[in-house]
Amino acid sequence: MYDPKSKHAEDFINHEEILETLSYAEANKTNAELIDEIIAKARLKKGLSHRDASVLLACELEDRNQEIYALAKQIKQEFYGNRIVMFAPLYLSNYCVNGCTYCPYHLKNKHIARKKLTQEEIRNEVIALQDMGHKRLALETGEDPVNNPIEYVLESIKTIYSIKHKNGAIRRVNVNIAATTVENYRRLKEAGIGTYILFQETYHKESYEKLHPTGPKHNYNYHTEAMDRAMEGGIDDVGCGVLFGLELYRYEFAGLLMHAEHLEAVYGVGPHTISVPRLKKADDIDPDAFDNGIDDDTFAKIVACIRVAVPYTGMIISTRESQKCRERVLELGISQISGGSKTSVGGYADGTLEEDDVTEQFDVSDTRTLDEVVRWLMENGHIPSFCTACYREGRTGDRFMTLCKNGQILNCCHPNALMTLKEYLMDYASPETRAIGEKLIAEEMEKVTNPKVKEIAKQNLIDIENGKRDFRF
Ligand code: SAM
């Protein structure tokens, strides 16, 4: 039975409830009166239920769809300003015991080169990432209790935080590893991770079991209840997501929002982020073999509807998407993007991987350097932010959400973003990017209205120019 407060996967992600939601949405996709009512509710910026949001996703009235896009843009602007947080994935190991049919790391793939980084190799990767200007990483591994035990992940996190190369530092390590135990989540929390990210892949249980035929990941309930265990282990920032292309997108959308409602209902805090990856071509994987691929228009609609439904949840897009696609959805609600990413194990330090030593997880569509991505963001009116202050000041979980829900995020995040951008420009940017960035910072500083904040930020910018780097951004 559907119960958002239950801790059983099949109660809070209830199949019947999703089916009813989908028929309700389908039946009302041209019901102007109801759609107007839902849009009016959405304008209050307190979010929408999975049912209401599903109606908006299904809506076929063109003028109403334009209203939804406009509202998504407005919410994005009000809650996040024009800041875009930057990160890069770091692949530690592609050893994996699972049989995920869409992922090249699956156990039966014998032609992918298997690789696991040593601590020394991790050092080299981190130095390469720091030299690009990155401050925030997402750790990725396959699931393999022998090759990638939790101790390996913990040791790697320690190594990553310990490296200070030139002016570089990794200030926030997010972790995207397979579902694990409360005890292991506790250990990850103690190691100082930022967000624990786990994609559901699909919320559809029957499909899930077919797509994950073998290995520990086959267990739908264990996987779906992972965020509950993470919360019990003390991790209050969790990141959800589905892999679009595996199942019907409307089903996934409803499931994703029900998951958010469940976390909010039980722990008082919804997901910190939602990721929207789409299935990509990879070694041994042909995305056309999966029936549920979505086009760019549908993808944009999903992003806009997530933005409207959970205004205070960050949204992440990776380099799986092209520059053109990223440009479109950035406006509609994305708050975090990766740049200069390599999805191979050891890909940052070793740019010269042999053809027969390809370990990458999927083809990257946006292959630009971080400097190019930063410049492009600024040219499109965004502020690339390398800030990790919330996490460092303990503004995570419900404390972060309170800031966000009160709309205060703009007051402290805006100047922090500008200062971390200034650090990037001084230490890593090309002359052209730096010129654009300096101009942008000057303009954006004018928007800071609190005189005290403005004064401190101005002084900090001067200090950064003069080489000071021990800030707690
Ligand atoms: N192994 C971990 C787990 O099982 O959750 C997560 C790490 S995996 C490196 C990160 C994510 O990549 C997966 O959760 C999946 O959604 C995504 N992924 C796998 N194969 C993909 C493909 N062919 N195209 C795009 N994304 C893919």
Side-chain angles (χ1 to χ4, degrees):
M1 201 191 65
Y2 175 51
D3 178 3
K5 287 205 158 139
S6 163
K7 290 194 183 173
H8 296 293
E10 285 163 77
D11 294 338
F12 64 81
I13 305 293
N14 182 259
H15 180 61
E16 282 69 39
E17 172 60 22
I18 299 185
L19 294 185
E20 278 175 34
T21 299
L22 298 191
S23 349
Y24 177 75
E26 184 62 22
N28 288 295
K29 65 185 181 191
T30 55
N31 180 344
E33 202 180 321
L34 177 72
I35 291 166
D36 285 344
E37 247 174 60
I38 298 173
I39 294 178
K41 224 187 274 178
R43 285 191 199 289
L44 301 175
K45 297 167 195 148
K46 301 220 180 298
L48 291 176
S49 68
H50 61 274
R51 280 219 176 193
D52 283 348
S54 293
V55 174
L56 295 193
L57 184 64
C59 169
E60 285 184 356
L61 303 173
E62 196 35 43
D63 51 348
R64 281 9 179 239
N65 280 336
Q66 291 312 319
E67 280 187 53
I68 296 167
Y69 287 124
L71 182 58
K73 281 186 194 177
Q74 193 192 332
I75 291 178
K76 159 82 199 298
Q77 200 58 36
E78 267 179 47
F79 281 68
Y80 300 89
N82 47 354
R83 290 168 298 102
I84 300 291
V85 168
M86 307 303 302
F87 79 98
L90 172 56
Y91 283 77
L92 295 182
S93 164
N94 64 359
Y95 281 94
C96 194
V97 296
N98 286 314
C100 315
T101 55
Y102 51 84
C103 180
Y105 291 176
H106 69 82
L107 186 63
K108 285 196 186 139
N109 186 355
K110 298 294 177 210
H111 39 83
I112 193 167
R114 300 286 170 176
K115 195 165 175 185
K116 170 188 171 180
L117 298 180
T118 62
Q119 297 306 308
E120 194 46 38
E121 286 169 325
I122 292 174
R123 265 188 75 80
N124 295 337
E125 289 290 274
V126 171
I127 287 171
L129 283 156
Q130 287 186 5
D131 280 347
M132 288 161 75
H134 278 295
K135 302 278 188 254
R136 179 189 291 247
L137 300 183
L139 284 199
E140 311 277 342
T141 68
E143 179 167 12
D144 186 329
V146 174
N147 286 300
N148 320 325
I150 192 72
E151 289 74 17
Y152 170 67
V153 177
L154 295 170
E155 191 189 356
S156 305
I157 295 169
K158 217 170 172 185
T159 301
I160 294 166
Y161 279 134
S162 74
I163 299 162
K164 304 275 181 284
H165 177 69
K166 297 184 184 163
N167 282 339
I170 298 303
R171 295 171 173 162
R172 179 168 173 131
V173 177
N174 297 332
V175 171
N176 183 1
I177 61 165
T180 186
T181 60
V182 174
E183 181 47 30
N184 285 348
Y185 286 125
R186 196 164 284 130
R187 294 171 79 183
L188 285 168
K189 174 74 187 173
E190 279 162 13
I193 69 159
T195 311
Y196 171 66
I197 300 167
L198 180 69
F199 299 158
Q200 177 63 31
E201 319 301 6
T202 175
Y203 282 99
H204 191 290
K205 187 173 187 218
E206 212 182 300
S207 302
Y208 181 97
E209 287 171 351
K210 282 192 196 131
L211 291 159
H212 307 95
T214 54
K217 195 165 172 178
H218 176 73
N219 188 334
Y220 174 86
N221 287 1
Y222 189 75
H223 188 81
T224 311
E225 292 159 8
M227 296 314 192
D228 294 78
R229 292 193 301 281
M231 292 263 184
E232 278 168 41
I235 296 176
D236 48 7
D237 277 356
V238 297
C240 296
V242 292
L243 186 54
F244 285 104
L246 299 180
E247 243 302 335
L248 294 173
Y249 70 92
R250 290 187 190 177
Y251 192 101
E252 307 294 25
F253 177 82
L256 203 45
L257 293 184
M258 284 164 79
H259 203 170
E261 286 164 12
H262 161 68
L263 296 174
E264 177 97 41
V266 179
Y267 307 98
V269 52
H272 185 66
T273 53
I274 286 180
S275 299
V276 286
R278 278 197 285 187
L279 190 63
K280 294 279 302 177
K281 187 179 171 311
D283 180 61
D284 205 36
I285 306 296
D286 173 11
D288 294 338
F290 298 82
D291 299 332
N292 297 302
I294 49 171
D295 60 24
D296 288 354
D297 288 340
T298 309
F299 188 60
K301 181 96 189 271
I302 292 171
V303 170
C305 289
I306 294 177
R307 181 68 304 135
V308 164
V310 280
Y312 41 83
T313 299
M315 228 191 299
I316 302 179
I317 196 157
S318 73
T319 53
R320 287 178 183 87
E321 301 299 336
S322 67
Q323 172 180 342
K324 190 160 160 264
C325 172
R326 302 216 296 172
E327 242 156 61
R328 186 170 177 196
V329 292
L330 271 168
E331 284 209 343
L332 296 172
I334 297 295
S335 56
Q336 244 188 76
I337 68 168
S338 46
S341 302
K342 294 275 193 294
T343 67
S344 46
V345 182
Y348 292 107
D350 178 9
T352 57
L353 284 177
E354 299 288 326
E355 267 296 299
D356 60 352
D357 186 28
V358 173
T359 59
E360 67 184 11
Q361 198 194 13
F362 50 79
D363 286 1
V364 162
S365 291
D366 188 339
T367 53
R368 292 171 297 168
T369 62
L370 180 62
D371 189 69
E372 287 168 329
V373 172
V374 165
R375 192 182 330 145
W376 156 77
L377 282 172
M378 297 191 297
E379 283 167 347
N380 283 281
H382 305 284
I383 305 172
S385 171
F386 293 87
C387 185
T388 58
C390 270
Y391 152 71
R392 291 159 65 84
E393 298 303 323
R395 288 194 299 257
T396 60
D398 58 345
R399 290 172 298 281
F400 171 78
M401 287 296 172
T402 311
L403 261 183
C404 207
K405 285 179 185 170
N406 291 337
Q408 284 174 26
I409 208 160
L410 253 177
N411 293 327
C412 58
C413 295
H414 188 65
N416 276 351
L418 296 177
M419 290 183 276
T420 58
L421 175 59
K422 175 79 178 180
E423 285 184 326
Y424 172 82
L425 297 178
M426 295 296 301
D427 294 340
Y428 307 106
S430 63
E432 196 187 349
T433 302
R434 185 168 168 200
I436 296 169
E438 296 287 4
K439 194 164 160 279
L440 179 79
I441 291 174
E443 284 163 12
E444 292 291 331
M445 276 295 288
E446 289 309 309
K447 295 184 186 162
V448 179
T449 49
N450 182 321
K452 202 157 185 184
V453 172
K454 197 168 187 164
E455 196 188 316
I456 297 171
K458 271 192 173 162
Q459 186 55 51
N460 285 348
L461 288 172
I462 295 169
D463 290 346
I464 292 167
E465 179 102 33
N466 292 329
K468 188 169 183 277
R469 288 294 181 279
D470 54 349
F471 295 96
R472 292 184 59 80
F473 298 131

